[in-house]
Amino acid sequence: MRTTGGTRQRIVTAATELFRRQGYAATGMKQIVAEAGAPYGSAYHFFPGGKAQLGEEVIRTSGAAYLELIGSLFADPGADPAAATAAAFTGAAETLRELDFADPCPIATVALEVASTHEGLRRATADVFASWIEALSSRYAGAGIGADTARDTAGSVIALLEGAFMLARAAHDTAPVRTAARAAAAVVRDALESG
């Protein structure tokens, strides 16, 4: 027998995958619960605020998972941060190819769709991006980059990655992500040189 905690998690997992693949607007609650193998009413039991509340949950949980990934990419404190950054982009390019150029990240997909129309979802995506920038900034500062420069560098790196994903998806080619990898590494090297 499945537990209610299992049902809730299945709904979140199904919504994450559907939002990632087809976007927030194109995904309905009926499709989410069908994909989760859950009764329709269970979605509103766990998410009384409906799709918007579920969307915020998806954004925050997915964001936390990617935040852990940032930590793992910089797990070796002695590693060259420019090389680690380039390796992260290279890994992202491979993931994008493996997913047949579907967006690997539901956060950017949702942010692009609803940033100007839904304040709760906009705020959730902004919080997630801010947490990534803060984590990356901390890693760069730990490598010797000044705090303000580390923050600017982290913001530039995240912007390069998200923009590269969009271009790669449109082209069905990983070249934009690989090009952005070199640019991101150069941004980090410049920041290291300037301290």
Side-chain angles (χ1 to χ4, degrees), residues 140-161:
Y140 292 150
I145 299 173
D148 290 342
T149 303
R151 184 171 235 349
D152 290 346
T153 301
S156 295
V157 167
I158 296 296
L160 279 165
L161 182 61

Side-chain angles (χ1 to χ4, degrees), residues 5-116:
T7 300
R8 184 183 193 285
Q9 186 54 52
R10 286 195 327 274
I11 291 169
V12 170
T13 300
T16 300
E17 180 62 18
L18 289 167
F19 291 165
R20 181 187 66 74
R21 273 196 333 246
Q22 56 190 46
Y24 178 82
T27 302
M29 288 296 273
K30 285 183 181 179
Q31 184 183 17
I32 293 167
V33 293
E35 185 82 13
Y40 185 72
S42 64
Y44 291 97
H45 169 74
F46 294 112
F47 302 98
K51 183 173 146 184
Q53 183 183 2
L54 176 57
E56 287 184 40
E57 176 75 13
V58 164
I59 290 165
R60 294 189 188 282
T61 33
S62 297
Y66 284 102
L67 186 59
E68 286 181 25
L69 181 60
I70 290 171
S72 70
L73 293 169
F74 292 87
D76 178 4
D80 172 20
T85 300
F89 277 66
T90 302
E94 185 58 28
T95 299
L96 193 58
R97 189 192 57 72
E98 288 169 2
L99 292 171
D100 195 27
F101 298 92
D103 195 341
C105 175
I107 293 118
T109 302
V110 173
L112 287 170
E113 283 186 81
V114 301
S116 61

Side-chain angles (χ1 to χ4, degrees), residues 113-147:
E113 283 186 81
V114 301
S116 61
T117 60
H118 193 287
E119 181 58 20
L121 292 171
R122 184 209 60 78
R123 191 173 35 255
T125 58
D127 289 348
V128 166
F129 287 133
S131 73
W132 294 354
I133 290 168
E134 184 59 37
L136 201 51
S137 175
S138 175
R139 298 294 178 165
Y140 292 150
I145 299 173

